[in-house]
Amino acid sequence: MKQFGMLTGFEFRKIWKQRSSWVTLGIMLLLVVFMSSSILMGSSSVTVQSGESFGEGGSPEESGDGREVSFSESNAQKIRIGRENGRSLSGRVMDDALWDEVRQYYESGVVQKYQYSIQEEERKEARRYEDVYRIFREFGILFRDEVREKTAAELYQGRKDYQAVFYREYGMSEGEQDYWEKQGEAIETPMVYEYSEGWRAFLSRDAYMIGMLVIFLTAICVTGIFTKEHSRKTDQLILCTRFGRKELYFAKICSGSLFSVICGFLFLGLSVLCNVLIYGPDGFGAPIQQAIAQYGLPFTMGAMVGITAMLLFFLSLLSGIAAMVLAEILKNGVATLAVLIGATLLIRMIPIPVSWRALSQLWGCLPPNLLYMENLFDLRLFSLFGVRLTFWQFAPGAYLLVSFLLVLLGKRVYCRYQVSGR
């Protein structure tokens, strides 16, 4: 075991000493920062009459001298206003009292009057209930324009009705529907509102891109673990070594997998840090339904972020192993890179209709699709020996099994090539 650790450490250091590893990792870390912070870029410019405020469906209320005045609002200002308004309402129970307050506020015309005001404080006032209103509207999405006529209790029931739409669209069995109905009983209503825009942005946008970056990183950095032996024609020296082929093979697999996992969590940590700095850490304990209305598990935002981190671990593990085994099969780093990136793009480009249930579920489990929000919160269940599993419960076991089979395949190819390769 001591010698295996030495071999693994040696191979691991070889990966980190490659200039390509540092350059690729640096570029991708910059991409993570850009991806998370790009929301801050840009601004919107509005021209109004001096002393005038107006909005959708409202006519100007002239109170100035008629001169045109332009003002610009940056996206950073919009986010700051949303954060301050959200924090001011955090902890409020989303019951009829709050819903009546929100309805009266929107019916008062404050939004139409001040949403394009030159004064920032007035624009902030026009968006006071923006996030709470978004959540209530998503609960009552089936009511369309009649949502303001409903009570809070009716909107919570509307959330369940919206969930039932997915049952029909996905062709889910009665057993699956019963599963979600039982799980839904544990969701406490009325909910307590918490501002959680940072975690919502991470789950809906950043997590998926992190998974893609991990795949590209492994395709570039870990394939050389095996291909360099063949290109430099040093592979036959292994036959003369003390520990031989098998030990070195597993050391290479472990070092490449460790590199992939470490880099994956570097991306994850950096993305979370950027979102916390932009939106704040608020809302880790908010119900996930405030971001994904139809989801039926009584989980918090933090729980789903933890599940995403778990899936990222298995994605990084499988991506590293797949890249190394494919490199050993093809004996060419460029060909391996082309196959992995081409397959990744192809998987993302080809849509599988939900009517092809088995294929579409398995398609969603492939590494490029694993952290995509629609798959992460898929209501369809996997049934194994009578046990019903959600998407995120099924994927880790499937990834471990595929990883194990790939390791065995790679070992066979590696060891046979050492004997009969020339």
Side-chain angles (χ1 to χ4, degrees):
M1 183 59 69
K2 180 180 178 181
Q3 290 78 8
F4 178 79
M6 291 174 60
L7 286 171
T8 302
F10 175 74
E11 293 293 338
F12 187 69
R13 288 191 296 273
K14 280 172 59 178
I15 300 174
W16 282 106
K17 287 181 179 179
Q18 295 178 137
R19 184 179 301 175
S20 60
S21 297
W22 286 102
V23 171
T24 304
L25 180 60
I27 291 173
M28 291 192 175
L29 287 173
L30 289 175
L31 285 175
V32 172
V33 173
F34 175 78
M35 172 184 66
S36 300
S37 60
S38 61
I39 190 69
L40 296 172
M41 301 177 185
S43 62
S44 57
S45 181
V46 178
T47 301
V48 299
Q49 298 294 322
S50 177
E52 163 186 313
S53 297
F54 62 95
E56 294 180 6
S59 59
E61 298 180 3
E62 297 186 8
S63 58
D65 54 14
R67 292 185 295 108
E68 287 190 347
V69 177
S70 296
F71 75 92
S72 179
E73 183 180 50
S74 68
N75 290 338
Q77 286 178 300
K78 292 179 181 179
I79 291 173
R80 177 172 54 79
I81 290 173
R83 182 173 63 243
E84 292 174 357
N85 283 336
R87 285 175 172 172
S88 69
L89 294 170
S90 287
R92 295 281 302 273
V93 178
M94 297 176 64
D95 55 8
D96 279 318
L98 180 58
W99 178 230
D100 289 341
E101 190 177 319
V102 172
R103 285 191 300 184
Q104 292 172 13
Y105 171 83
Y106 276 90
E107 291 169 359
S108 68
V110 174
V111 177
Q112 288 79 5
K113 185 176 181 180
Y114 292 131
Q115 65 177 336
Y116 295 130
S117 171
I118 299 172
Q119 302 298 322
E120 182 177 314
E121 286 302 314
E122 291 182 347
R123 295 199 304 275
K124 180 179 178 181
E125 174 64 20
R127 303 169 192 166
R128 188 200 306 178
Y129 296 102
E130 189 174 55
D131 197 37
V132 176
Y133 188 53
R134 172 192 62 80
I135 295 171
F136 273 122
R137 281 190 63 87
E138 288 182 1
F139 287 175
I141 193 171
L142 297 180
F143 298 124
R144 299 181 183 275
D145 296 334
E146 300 176 359
V147 65
R148 293 188 191 176
E149 302 174 8
K150 305 298 180 181
T151 65
E154 289 174 324
L155 294 180
Y156 282 114
Q157 180 58 45
R159 189 196 71 80
K160 295 181 180 180
D161 295 339
Y162 182 49
Q163 191 179 60
V165 171
F166 287 85
Y167 299 161
R168 296 190 295 271
E169 291 293 326
Y170 289 160
M172 295 170 62
S173 66
E174 292 185 3
E176 289 176 299
Q177 297 181 36
D178 290 341
Y179 172 89
W180 289 113
E181 292 300 321
K182 291 178 181 178
Q183 294 292 330
E185 293 174 0
I187 299 175
E188 296 183 6
T189 56
M191 298 176 185
V192 176
Y193 170 76
E194 289 188 51
Y195 171 73
S196 55
E197 187 61 28
W199 304 113
R200 190 164 75 99
F202 171 79
L203 291 171
S204 63
R205 181 189 64 210
D206 294 356
Y208 155 68
M209 290 304 302
I210 288 171
M212 296 287 284
L213 290 178
V214 168
I215 296 172
F216 295 152
L217 179 80
T218 54
I220 296 170
C221 296
V222 304
T223 54
I225 293 178
F226 287 99
T227 57
K228 285 184 179 179
E229 282 187 5
H230 303 303
S231 63
R232 295 173 181 175
K233 299 183 179 180
T234 59
D235 47 0
Q236 295 300 301
L237 295 175
I238 297 171
L239 295 174
C240 305
T241 60
R242 177 182 175 188
F243 300 107
R245 296 158 290 167
K246 295 179 183 179
E247 291 79 1
L248 183 58
Y249 170 77
F250 286 114
K252 288 176 179 289
I253 290 291
C254 287
S255 61
S257 301
L258 183 60
F259 175 82
S260 302
V261 171
I262 289 175
C263 291
F265 277 85
L266 280 176
F267 297 157
L268 174 69
L270 185 59
S271 176
V272 168
L273 177 62
C274 289
N275 280 289
V276 167
L277 292 175
I278 294 170
Y279 298 100
D282 312 67
F284 201 68
I288 189 60
Q289 286 72 28
Q290 293 185 12
I292 310 295
Q294 75 275 11
Y295 201 57
L297 290 177
F299 284 177
T300 63
M301 296 280 189
M304 292 309 301
V305 170
I307 289 171
T308 301
M310 175 194 69
L311 292 177
L312 178 63
F313 169 82
F314 289 102
L315 185 151
S316 302
L317 180 68
L318 179 59
S319 297
I321 292 173
M324 289 183 286
V325 171
L326 185 60
E328 175 57 24
I329 293 173
L330 298 178
K331 309 293 189 299
N332 187 295
V334 175
T336 303
L337 178 64
V339 170
L340 289 175
I341 293 181
T344 298
L345 297 177
L346 192 63
I347 289 170
R348 286 302 307 138
M349 289 171 59
I350 299 178
I352 303 296
V354 295
S355 57
W356 300 356
R357 171 156 180 170
L359 181 58
S360 65
Q361 281 185 280
L362 292 176
W363 198 258
C365 288
L366 295 177
N369 298 328
L370 185 69
L371 299 182
Y372 192 55
M373 187 175 66
E374 291 185 3
N375 297 319
L376 187 61
F377 297 103
D378 195 341
L379 296 180
R380 294 173 296 178
L381 302 175
F382 292 86
S383 183
L384 294 176
F385 308 107
V387 178
R388 299 188 185 280
L389 302 173
T390 62
F391 172 85
W392 57 267
Q393 289 172 326
F394 171 81
Y399 271 52
L400 280 178
L401 177 60
V402 174
S403 297
F404 176 74
L405 294 176
L406 284 175
V407 169
L408 293 182
L409 173 63
K411 174 178 172 293
R412 180 177 178 82
V413 174
Y414 184 76
C415 292
R416 285 176 63 87
Y417 181 81
Q418 296 297 329
V419 174
S420 59
R422 304 199 209 291

